[in-house]
Amino acid sequence: MLESKQRQITDTEKLPIPTVQAIIDGKLTGALSGKTLEVVSPIDGKMIAAIPDCEAADVDRAVAGARRAFEARRWQGMSPKQRKRVLLDWADRVAAEALRLAALESRDMGMPIRLAEELEINFAIDSLRWYGEAADKLYDELAHLDDNVTAMISRTPLGVVGAILPWNAPAMIGAWKLGPALVAGNSVVLKPAEDASLVCLRIVELALEAGMPEGVLQVVTGDHKAGAALAAHRDVDCITFTGSGEVGRQIMTAAANSNLKRVSLELGGKSANIVFADAPDLAMAADISVGFMFGNQGQVCEAPTRLLVQRAIRDSFTEEIVKRTRALTIGNPLDLRTDLGPIVNAAQRTQIVARMERAEKEGVRFALDGRGTEVPGTGFYLAPSVAVDVDPKSSLAQEEIFWPVLSVLSFDSVDEAIALANGTRYGLGASIWSNNLDNVFYIAKRLVAGNININGGTGPVVELPFGGFKESGFGRDRSLHAIDKYSDLKNVIIRTAR
Ligand code: NAD
C-alpha cells in the first residue's frame, strides 16, 4: 500500500510543473516586464521553475479585469445554485489531482507529503466544498417598519478583493479566503507568496476549467512589489492578508494612504500549550504536542511553540517530549515516511541558526539541539530542537518562532499558567491539558487567544472561525463568519401606497 503510493508520488514528480504563468482575465500570462523569479526547491536547492515577477503594471491589469468582471456581474449575477455548481466542480477537480498537488507543494516549499495531502490539499478541497454548499443557503433579512414600509437588509459584495498569502500552507489558506470571498460575490486578485506559488496557480487554473467566469479570479505572482501594489491600489476594496506582523503593518498603512480599503490580518502567534499534572493522558498530550509543534517543520502560525509544564511533572514530561522529538524522521518531504522536510529557503535557515545562537547567548539551554544532527542531502534541512528552562522574558519565549524550536517553561499554579500564556504580544492559539473541568473553564475564559484546544481538541476545521487577538491580527477566516469581511449590509426600503 505504502510502496504503491510512494511509486505514484515518484511518477508524479516526473510530470512537468503544470502552470508557471500568472492568470489574468482567464489567460496565462507573463509579467509585462518579461522578468521572472526563480523557484528553488528546498529539497536540494535546485531551480525547478520560474514564475512571472509581477509588478504594479501587472497588478493594474489584474485589478482592472477583476473590476470589469464585477461590474458586468459575471459572477454575482449568476444564481446561487449555478455558483454552487462551479465551486463544487472546482473542488472535485482539485480532489482528482490531490496527490499531484501535494507533491508539487512538497517540491516547492518542503511540506512533508503526508501533511501536504492529508491536511493542506484535503483541507483546501473541504473548504471549497463547504463554501460551495453554503452558496444557495444564505438568506438576507426583512424588517417590517410600518404597515406599508418594508426594508430588505441584504449582504452585498465589496467588489474587488486582494488576497495575499504566506508560503507555509498556500492551498488551504488560499481556499479559506477564496471560498468566502467568492461566495459573497466578489472578484478576487490572488497574490501567492513567492516561495509557494505553484500549487495556487494550478488550483486557480482548475477553477477556470470548472467554469469560473473570466476575470473573476486572477493570480499575480511575484514578491513584495506585487503585494505592495495590490495593498496600495485605489480600486481594490479589501485586502485579506495572512503573513507576518511586519508586512501586516505595511498593508494597513497602504490601505490608510490609498482608498481606506478594508483590511483583515491573520498574523503570527506564540501559542501556549499548558500541561497540568492531572492531564487525562500525558502520553497522548506528548504525542499531539510534538506532532503539532514540528509538523511542517514548525512553520505553522498556531504551532504550540511554548510548552508550559506544571512543575511537578516538568522533568518527566520534558523527557517524553525530547524522546518523541528525537524519534522524528527528517528527510525528503516526498518520502511518505518523512516527518520533517527542509526549511522553506536558505535565508530562513540561516536566520534560524543565528537566532538560536542569540538565544544561547541569552542563557538558553537546548536539551535537544538540531544544529548538531546530521541531515540528508544538500537541501535546507534543520533537525528539531527543544530548549528548556526558558526565561519567559527571553527573545525565544517572546518573539514569533516560525521554525522547529520548542521552548519549555514551567509553572506551579493555575494563575501563573494564565499569566505566562497571556504574557506575549500575540493571541492566536492555546492548548490546555487537564482533567479538572473547573480549572479548564476558568483558564479558557481568561486566555487571550482565538482558538483554544482542550485535551487534544481538534485539528483545523472549516466549520470554526479562525483568527487571533492582539498582534495576531483581526478578522476571521473559515466558517460562515468569514463571509462578513467580504461583504457589507445594504438597506433597500420600500414604501407601498397601501
Ligand atoms: P510575509 O509577511 O513575509 O509575506 C506574506 C505575503 O506578503 C507574501 O505573499 C509576500 O510576497 C507579501 N508581501 C511582502 N511584502 C509586502 C508588502 N509590503 N505589501 C504587501 N504584501 C507584501 O510572511 P511569510 O514569511 O510568507 O509567512 C510567514 C508569516 O505568516 C508568519 O509570521 C506566520 O505566523 C504568518 N502566518 C499566519 C497565519 C494565520 O492564520 N494567523 C497562517 C500562516 C502564516
Side-chain angles (χ1 to χ4, degrees):
M1 177 74 181
L2 202 68
E3 284 82 30
S4 96
K5 190 149 190 188
Q6 193 65 63
R7 265 198 305 279
Q8 279 179 52
I9 295 166
T10 311
D11 291 345
T12 307
E13 255 186 281
K14 292 180 195 135
L15 297 172
I17 288 174
T19 316
V20 285
Q21 299 272 280
I23 302 177
I24 298 181
D25 291 340
K27 289 168 201 71
L28 303 184
T29 174
L32 284 171
S33 67
K35 284 193 249 169
T36 55
L37 293 174
E38 287 188 359
V39 176
V40 172
S41 174
I43 295 176
D44 52 13
K46 293 199 177 122
M47 180 179 155
I48 54 169
I51 50 170
D53 184 10
C54 293
E55 297 176 4
D58 305 289
V59 170
D60 283 346
R61 266 200 303 162
V63 172
R67 176 63 62 189
R68 271 196 305 279
F70 185 73
E71 299 285 326
R73 302 182 68 81
R74 275 180 219 151
W75 177 245
Q76 61 164 326
M78 274 187 179
S79 75
K81 250 195 175 44
Q82 277 175 301
R83 284 196 266 142
K84 168 175 153 175
R85 271 189 221 115
V86 173
L87 291 172
L88 293 183
D89 184 11
W90 180 17
D92 289 346
R93 285 167 194 268
V94 177
E97 289 192 16
L99 193 62
R100 185 180 182 191
L101 290 166
L104 192 60
E105 182 88 325
S106 298
R107 291 176 72 194
D108 198 4
M109 54 67 71
M111 186 183 290
I113 185 90
R114 266 186 291 127
L115 198 67
E117 189 189 16
E118 287 163 22
L119 179 71
E120 161 83 339
I121 303 298
N122 280 347
F123 199 173
I125 297 163
D126 194 30
S127 301
L128 295 178
R129 286 208 175 113
W130 200 84
Y131 286 106
E133 284 294 350
D136 60 355
K137 296 172 190 67
L138 297 168
Y139 298 96
D140 291 332
E141 297 168 23
L142 272 189
H144 299 287
L145 301 177
D146 212 334
D147 202 24
N148 63 336
V149 182
T150 300
M152 297 188 294
I153 306 159
S154 51
R155 198 194 290 269
T156 307
L158 299 177
V160 177
V161 171
I164 304 178
L165 303 183
W167 48 260
N168 66 323
M172 77 181 191
I173 297 175
W176 302 344
K177 295 186 184 301
L178 296 180
L182 289 168
V183 159
N186 298 285
S187 295
V188 183
V189 178
L190 180 68
K191 205 310 259 168
E194 50 275 39
D195 277 320
S197 294
L198 301 181
V199 80
C200 294
L201 288 167
R202 180 60 185 154
I203 287 176
V204 170
E205 208 180 15
L206 291 171
L208 304 182
E209 289 172 17
M212 185 69 66
E214 187 181 297
V216 171
L217 186 46
Q218 320 261 25
V219 192
V220 285
T221 51
D223 56 18
H224 62 280
K225 300 189 291 300
L230 200 54
H233 205 291
R234 297 196 72 86
D235 205 23
V236 170
D237 300 287
C238 162
I239 291 285
T240 172
F241 173 75
T242 297
S244 62
E246 189 189 332
V247 173
R249 282 182 169 80
Q250 291 174 33
I251 288 174
M252 282 187 87
T253 306
N257 288 338
S258 56
N259 60 341
L260 286 173
K261 59 179 67 64
R262 289 142 201 243
V263 171
S264 64
L265 304 176
E266 299 285 349
L267 308 173
K270 193 76 207 169
S271 303
N273 184 18
I274 311 170
V275 183
F276 284 88
D278 65 3
D281 185 342
L282 281 168
M284 178 183 162
D287 286 342
I288 293 185
S289 301
V290 169
F292 192 2
M293 171 62 219
F294 295 108
N296 206 19
Q297 296 80 260
Q299 301 167 135
V300 175
C301 54
E302 206 196 345
T305 50
R306 290 184 304 150
L307 177 64
L308 275 50
V309 193
Q310 199 164 27
R311 213 172 303 274
I313 56 160
R314 183 191 63 183
D315 294 345
S316 57
F317 192 74
T318 306
E319 217 171 280
E320 289 301 312
I321 291 286
V322 170
K323 195 168 85 190
R324 282 164 174 76
T325 307
R326 208 188 290 280
L328 294 172
T329 307
I330 303 143
N332 189 323
L334 288 158
D335 188 327
L336 282 163
R337 291 162 305 187
T338 291
D339 297 308
L340 268 85
I343 300 298
V344 67
N345 59 42
Q348 180 82 351
R349 192 190 178 285
T350 306
Q351 199 192 88
I352 298 170
V353 172
R355 286 184 61 185
M356 285 177 76
E357 281 162 8
R358 177 175 144 206
E360 242 170 359
K361 282 194 194 117
E362 287 175 0
V364 164
R365 184 171 70 81
F366 289 102
L368 183 65
D369 189 340
R371 290 169 299 178
T373 309
E374 205 177 315
V375 287
T378 52
F380 312 137
Y381 295 91
L382 181 63
S385 301
V386 179
V388 289
D389 303 329
V390 176
D391 177 350
K393 298 222 158 23
S394 67
S395 62
L396 203 59
Q398 284 295 320
E399 293 171 13
E400 190 198 15
I401 285 182
F402 216 55
W403 16 288
V405 180
L406 172 68
S407 296
V408 183
L409 293 80
S410 46
F411 65 90
D412 287 305
S413 70
V414 163
D415 287 316
E416 195 187 348
I418 296 169
L420 282 174
N422 286 339
T424 73
R425 58 201 167 102
Y426 298 104
L428 192 54
S431 306
I432 308 168
W433 300 87
S434 168
N435 236 346
N436 184 325
L437 200 62
D438 290 342
N439 281 347
V440 163
F441 273 99
Y442 177 87
I443 299 166
K445 276 188 193 164
R446 285 157 181 80
L447 288 184
V448 186
N451 197 46
I452 303 171
N453 277 305
I454 316 283
N455 295 334
T458 178
V461 289
V462 66
E463 295 94 316
L464 300 179
F466 178 71
F469 291 89
K470 301 198 285 186
E471 291 189 33
S472 291
F474 50 87
R476 294 292 180 263
D477 279 333
R478 313 195 318 222
S479 82
L480 292 180
H481 293 288
I483 299 173
D484 294 343
K485 65 186 186 190
Y486 304 114
S487 56
D488 218 332
L489 299 176
K490 181 193 275 184
N491 298 329
V492 177
I493 305 147
I494 309 152
R495 178 179 292 273
T496 51
R498 44 191 199 142

